[in-house]
Amino acid sequence: MSILQKRGALIVLEGCDRAGKTTQCKKLVELLKSEGHKAKFMNFPDRTTQCGALINSYLTNKDNFTDEGIHLLFTLNRWEAKKQMEQLLNSGTSLIVDRYSYSGVAFSSAKGLDMEWCRAPEKGLLRPDLVILLTLTPEAMSKRGGFGDERYEVPELQKRVMEKFLQLKDDKYWKVVDADKTPEDLSYDLYKSVIDTVHKSALSKLSTLW
Ligand code: Z5A
Ligand code: MG
């Protein structure tokens, strides 16, 4: 008799700068682990790879690329992680991922690139089981302190990016959540959807974008 290996869920958090994506991803991993689930935090861009180092030097204004060039580097940064993600998911580890292809398409198209062109190189990457889009009103955002020094941390661009996220939203597997809560209240809210997705995805097949 074969024993069915349950797979892990691929869960992505997206949203604007300072919405609390990193904080929540890490809290969700802790909560899953505390209930006996295998879970791992991942983030994009992953600045630790060679490609990620180029992205980092672009974001911190030390280097420059064309809009098309940096778009493809962000995509490559996800392609280089695909195999490892697949192996972890198939061995039963849920991945809680801080930004993914949707940031790639939203940021590049907000800068003026054609959205279909931006989507094309993401085709074939793993499709998340759940995407949580964290939103903040401009008032709530202003309470979180000033923008940092990175290239994209300007209000006009962040506003256009949020419009692009809403265009990419697919109601079948997206959930939009107002992030203007304490970190504890927010993770309590998110955990319900996360655990539900972990249970639902366990016996389904992984699929790919788009
Ligand atoms: N980018 C792209 O163009 N193409 C791509 O394909 C990808 C990304 C993947 C760097 O991303 C840039 O790369 C990003 C998009 C672009 N540019 N922008 N903007 P990143 O992920 O490295 O950085 P970020 O997401 O923009 O910023 P962030 O500061 O990491 O935001 P966050 O993760 O959402 O927030 P946080 O670190 O959890 O919290 C921010 C602060 O708020 C911190 O002081 C916390 O203590 C505080 N905080 C967190 N939660 C709360 C709550 N609930 N209440 C009050 N205060 C809170
Ligand atoms: Mg972050």
Side-chain angles (χ1 to χ4, degrees):
M1 193 173 73
S2 70
I3 299 165
L4 276 177
Q5 165 71 60
K6 290 184 180 174
R7 76 161 172 92
L10 177 55
I11 296 169
V12 168
L13 268 72
E14 290 281 10
C16 55
D17 192 39
R18 290 167 303 145
K21 299 174 298 297
T22 306
T23 308
Q24 290 306 315
C25 284
K26 291 184 172 170
K27 277 185 173 290
L28 290 168
V29 168
E30 273 171 35
L31 284 169
L32 283 169
K33 283 183 169 172
S34 72
E35 295 208 346
H37 298 276
K38 287 197 281 180
K40 183 175 160 57
F41 167 76
M42 290 186 83
N43 62 305
F44 294 105
D46 173 1
R47 303 186 197 213
T48 66
T49 69
Q50 278 182 316
C51 162
L54 290 174
I55 294 172
N56 184 54
S57 63
Y58 173 83
L59 287 171
T60 53
N61 293 303
K62 293 188 189 80
D63 220 334
N64 214 359
F65 296 101
T66 61
D67 288 344
E68 291 84 354
I70 190 66
H71 179 77
L72 294 172
L73 277 180
F74 274 114
T75 305
L76 171 60
N77 193 230
R78 283 181 279 281
W79 276 103
E80 58 189 5
K82 182 184 172 186
K83 202 168 172 196
Q84 188 207 3
M85 291 172 75
E86 218 161 14
Q87 282 167 349
L88 284 164
L89 290 165
N90 285 329
S91 70
T93 300
S94 290
L95 302 180
I96 310 294
V97 184
D98 185 359
R99 292 196 185 274
Y100 195 57
S101 302
Y102 313 97
S103 279
V105 177
F107 275 85
S108 295
S109 62
K111 290 196 293 180
L113 296 184
D114 175 71
M115 197 180 246
E116 286 312 308
W117 185 91
C118 295
R119 286 167 68 110
E122 306 288 329
K123 186 175 157 70
L125 287 172
L126 298 175
R127 201 200 83 165
D129 298 296
L130 173 68
V131 179
I132 297 173
L133 177 66
L134 295 181
T135 63
L136 277 181
T137 60
E139 298 75 49
M141 201 187 273
S142 67
K143 284 192 236 143
R144 298 236 169 142
F147 281 108
D149 296 328
E150 289 203 344
R151 192 183 282 260
Y152 293 157
E153 295 179 352
V154 281
E156 250 323 294
L157 179 67
Q158 296 287 331
K159 188 168 162 270
R160 286 204 301 279
V161 167
M162 189 47 73
E163 289 162 9
K164 298 291 182 186
F165 274 133
L166 294 171
Q167 281 177 40
L168 289 168
K169 179 164 80 80
D170 180 330
D171 291 334
K172 285 200 281 292
Y173 63 105
W174 280 56
K175 199 174 158 58
V176 181
V177 177
D178 179 1
D180 188 17
K181 298 181 182 123
T182 66
E184 292 70 29
D185 285 351
L186 186 55
S187 35
Y188 178 80
D189 284 1
L190 301 185
Y191 191 66
K192 285 186 251 173
S193 307
V194 165
I195 196 68
D196 199 35
T197 304
V198 167
H199 290 139
K200 272 201 221 143
S201 317
L203 294 175
S204 69
K205 275 181 86 175
L206 277 171
S207 59
T208 53
L209 293 174
W210 290 92

